[in-house]
Amino acid sequence: MNTPDPILHPLPPAAQGLMPPPRFTYPFCYQPHPLCQLAADEVQHYLSSRTDWQAELAGGKMFGVLIVRLPDGELAYLAAFSGLLAGSNRQPWFVPPVFDLLRPGGFFKEGEEQITAINRRIAMLEAEPEYRELKEQLARRQREDEDTLTRLRLELKAAREQRQQLREAGGLTPDEAQALVRQSQHQKAEYKRTERALREATETLRRSLQQMQDEIDRLKAERKSRSAALQAELFTRFRLLNARGEARGLLDIFREAGHTLPPAGAGECAAPKLLQQAYLNGWQPVCMAEFWWGASPRAEVRHHGHYYPACQGKCGPILAHMLQGLQVDPNPMETLARRQEEQAVPVVYEDEWLLAVDKPSGMLTVPGKGGARALAQLVAEARGRQEELLVVHRLDMETSGLVLLAKSAEVQRLLQRLFEQRRVEKQYLAWLDGTVQAAGGTISLPLCPDPLDRPRQRVDEVHGKPALTLYRVLERRDGRTLVAFSPHTGRTHQLRVHAAHPQGLGCPISGDRLYGKPADRLYLHADAIRFRHPMTGKEVEIKSITSLPSPASSEP
């Protein structure tokens, strides 16, 4: 390397003789190139040497490496971290941020300080003894008023019932009957007077409190307005390049992708930082990889040292712009789906209303964006019949095994109702990377989509939907475990997350590119299904006629 650069690092000697890839990495689904793996090894060695960072790194962070070709043809690499590291977005040895929002004296720091001052003022007002005492008095008065009015309503009801009994007993003189009417009118009037007096006393308290609350609300509105303006200004400062030398702002990039605003943290991930520095310096991007270092977050599934695709929510629109002008690998999942169109799909069960087929791994269950044909169409074409086949339930593209197809919309509706009512029993087989010690058990972790990284799912105790899985260990071999799963709910990626999450089995399904390590396939197979036939009322039990292969015998 002719000119030393603090962020540009030479490849290790082991890279000698390794051929760079012909095209740049497709960032949302990839196997890391050996050059990236060597660079990542060096980054990980450097991270291990930083004793001052170990506490923070133990909590987990995403890092990235980018192999670049210099003007003289030599290869080198860049390294980056997502977000902040040790409280800063700048650290020696790593590329700088796309835009330094933490620069002292910069507009963002000044705006942030103004918002912090507003927060302090709000906190001070809310902690004022007079304000807190008025809030407590008002709440107490409202409770007492409601108790008083409730007691009076009960007294009115009891008096009304007593008057009714006297009227029903008969024998009342006209004067006595008129006295009962006056009693009723008097009690109702007294209730109204009491209600009005209580309301006036409460309103006096509320007005006193409102004078203080108005100032707090004004400050909160100002805080919201300043935050929105600061965020909008920040988005305009992020100018991202692509290989053609074109620069675009975050707002334009995300609006073109159909989003109102970029999500928080957009442009601060490792991948945009790496590409931006390559373009700024005239270095040609060759290949890239990102890896997780440290413990898994509580909600997400991340494994120490594993490689991960770029996130779709924050990086999807950005990388779609930044990769323009580069020759990029095609999406391997779309390539696989097209290749799997030629695979035979065995019919395992059939009657006049439905059929069950054994879907190969890599075949789409329903049509996707890439244009590849999906299961129902492929089965109908293979049968050479003009028939309507409708998918009843889905399997992930990478999952193999049983799928039910209905021959009419009515049968599809009836079968889908059985799934919704959890009256369909399913069994899956899966090879897991790692050894599950227990013989079996139950996993209950609520799941919901990760809004910034679809289609990944996350464990969320607040917003997640209940997800329950039973499992049995069938075999342990070569550092892997064969498990039978029986899901009682049908959440997206349920088995994959329940297997991989630390609070689940802590052992991802072999070949799981989202929650574990990629391989030649996802080793998950829908093996058996049982349900009561919606047309005949008879129990139907179907077993797959294909088997789940074993992963490669080497250690996972």
Side-chain angles (χ1 to χ4, degrees):
M1 208 176 302
N2 296 328
T3 305
D5 191 291
I7 64 170
L8 192 62
H9 311 291
L11 289 171
Q16 293 295 322
L18 287 178
M19 291 294 294
R23 295 181 297 270
F24 190 72
T25 313
Y26 179 75
F28 304 107
C29 181
Y30 64 91
Q31 287 272 20
H33 189 274
L35 289 172
C36 286
Q37 291 178 312
L38 290 172
D41 288 343
E42 287 211 338
V43 175
Q44 292 168 9
H45 178 74
Y46 176 74
L47 294 175
S48 298
S49 72
R50 291 298 302 258
T51 56
D52 53 330
W53 291 349
Q54 293 313 301
E56 181 177 352
L57 291 175
K61 180 166 287 294
M62 194 72 77
F63 291 84
V65 292
L66 173 67
I67 309 298
V68 294
R69 181 177 282 107
L70 307 182
D72 62 4
E74 192 174 354
L75 297 180
Y77 77 89
L78 308 172
F81 52 85
S82 291
L84 305 179
L85 180 59
S88 175
N89 54 15
R90 289 181 179 269
Q91 292 294 347
W93 212 76
F94 294 99
V95 301
V98 174
F99 173 74
D100 190 356
L101 55 89
L102 299 182
R103 181 171 56 85
F107 85 94
F108 188 84
K109 289 294 291 182
E110 290 183 358
E112 196 176 49
E113 288 167 3
Q114 291 169 352
I115 292 171
T116 299
I118 293 173
N119 284 333
R120 285 197 295 266
R121 177 62 178 159
I122 291 171
M124 184 181 70
L125 290 175
E126 290 180 335
E128 283 281 351
E130 182 183 358
Y131 174 76
R132 297 176 67 177
E133 177 60 27
L134 282 172
K135 282 191 75 173
E136 291 172 5
Q137 283 183 22
L138 180 60
R140 185 167 59 249
R141 173 63 63 86
Q142 288 173 329
R143 290 194 301 270
E144 291 172 353
D145 289 355
E146 183 55 37
D147 290 344
T148 298
L149 294 175
T150 299
R151 176 178 54 79
L152 291 176
R153 284 193 293 269
L154 290 174
E155 291 176 357
L156 284 173
K157 181 181 178 183
R160 184 170 61 251
E161 291 173 350
Q162 186 179 24
R163 287 192 296 272
Q164 185 62 28
Q165 290 173 2
L166 290 173
R167 292 188 182 105
E168 291 175 354
L172 290 176
T173 68
D175 288 343
E176 290 172 334
Q178 188 61 34
L180 292 180
V181 172
R182 287 195 299 272
Q183 182 191 63
S184 174
Q185 293 171 339
H186 174 75
Q187 288 177 338
K188 288 178 181 178
E190 280 296 312
Y191 177 84
K192 291 293 184 183
R193 280 192 291 272
T194 303
E195 184 181 39
R196 185 166 54 253
L198 293 176
R199 188 187 306 119
E200 290 172 355
T202 301
E203 188 59 30
T204 300
L205 265 179
R206 184 180 287 109
R207 282 195 297 268
S208 299
L209 177 64
Q210 192 62 48
Q211 292 175 358
M212 304 185 73
Q213 187 65 52
D214 286 345
E215 176 62 9
I216 293 173
D217 292 343
R218 185 193 66 77
L219 288 169
K220 287 182 177 180
E222 181 183 354
R223 178 180 64 185
K224 182 177 179 180
S225 175
R226 285 182 178 272
S227 295
L230 185 63
Q231 190 80 326
E233 177 67 15
L234 178 62
F235 290 149
T236 63
R237 301 295 181 98
F238 270 85
R239 302 288 294 174
L240 296 150
L241 293 165
N242 62 21
R244 298 171 182 160
E246 300 163 339
R248 299 194 67 191
L250 277 178
L251 285 173
D252 289 340
I253 289 172
F254 276 84
R255 282 172 180 164
E256 187 174 286
H259 302 275
T260 305
L261 289 172
E268 298 178 50
C269 294
K273 291 181 181 180
L274 292 166
L275 290 168
Q276 185 83 348
Q277 284 305 306
Y279 297 144
L280 286 172
N281 290 280
W283 304 326
Q284 180 188 355
V286 174
C287 54
M288 183 169 64
E290 295 181 85
F291 64 89
W292 183 261
W293 193 253
S296 176
R298 180 176 175 82
E300 302 173 64
V301 177
R302 303 288 190 191
H303 295 278
H304 179 67
H306 283 204
Y307 293 92
Y308 288 94
C311 64
Q312 289 283 356
K314 287 191 285 189
C315 291
I318 290 173
L319 296 183
H321 160 69
M322 298 191 81
L323 295 180
Q324 290 179 24
L326 290 181
Q327 292 294 316
V328 181
D329 281 334
N331 183 346
M333 302 311 292
E334 291 180 3
T335 303
L336 175 61
R338 288 195 177 92
R339 190 167 67 242
Q340 293 300 83
E341 290 179 0
E342 307 305 319
Q343 287 286 318
V345 182
V347 176
V348 181
Y349 169 91
E350 182 174 8
D351 58 33
E352 60 181 294
W353 299 284
L354 62 93
L355 58 137
V357 299
D358 252 340
K359 184 185 84 70
S361 174
M363 182 178 287
L364 291 170
T365 306
V366 296
K369 296 180 180 178
R373 290 174 294 165
L375 182 65
Q377 181 183 355
L378 293 170
V379 172
E381 290 175 358
R383 290 157 66 87
R385 305 177 191 176
Q386 294 295 322
E387 62 180 341
E388 182 183 34
L389 294 178
L390 303 169
V391 173
V392 174
H393 60 111
R394 297 188 182 191
L395 288 185
D396 289 345
M397 172 186 167
E398 299 162 88
T399 304
S400 60
L402 295 173
V403 179
L404 297 181
L405 302 177
K407 296 183 179 180
S408 71
E410 175 63 15
V411 173
Q412 180 195 40
R413 183 182 64 81
L414 293 172
L415 286 168
Q416 287 178 337
R417 184 180 297 172
L418 293 180
F419 278 88
E420 293 166 1
Q421 295 172 343
R422 300 178 187 174
R423 292 163 58 190
V424 178
E425 296 179 26
K426 296 166 288 182
Q427 177 175 281
Y428 292 76
L429 300 179
W431 279 102
L432 311 185
D433 287 339
T435 301
V436 178
Q437 299 297 334
T442 301
I443 306 164
S444 178
L445 294 173
L447 303 176
C448 67
D450 186 335
L452 295 180
D453 200 6
R454 295 178 184 274
R456 289 175 61 93
Q457 304 293 301
R458 55 188 288 135
V459 173
D460 193 321
E461 299 288 345
V462 177
H463 303 103
K465 294 182 178 180
L468 180 67
T469 303
L470 273 60
Y471 73 95
R472 289 183 296 114
V473 170
L474 304 178
E475 184 180 347
R476 300 181 182 91
R477 186 205 318 164
D478 298 328
R480 291 188 172 90
T481 306
L482 179 63
V483 170
F485 284 122
S486 297
H488 281 216
T489 50
R491 308 301 177 204
T492 301
H493 294 181
Q494 176 174 323
L495 300 182
R496 298 168 69 171
V497 177
H498 280 186
H501 197 276
Q503 292 177 277
L505 297 181
C507 299
I509 296 173
S510 299
D512 192 338
R513 62 186 176 86
L514 291 180
Y515 306 103
K517 291 183 177 179
D520 59 320
R521 63 158 288 174
L522 176 69
Y523 284 85
L524 177 62
H525 182 73
D527 184 62
I529 190 167
R530 185 168 66 180
F531 59 94
R532 186 174 294 279
H533 200 296
M535 306 304 291
T536 67
K538 295 180 179 179
E539 285 287 331
V540 177
E541 187 167 357
I542 306 171
K543 184 79 168 60
S544 171
I545 60 173
T546 60
S547 59
L548 177 67
S550 300
S553 59
S554 60
E555 287 294 318

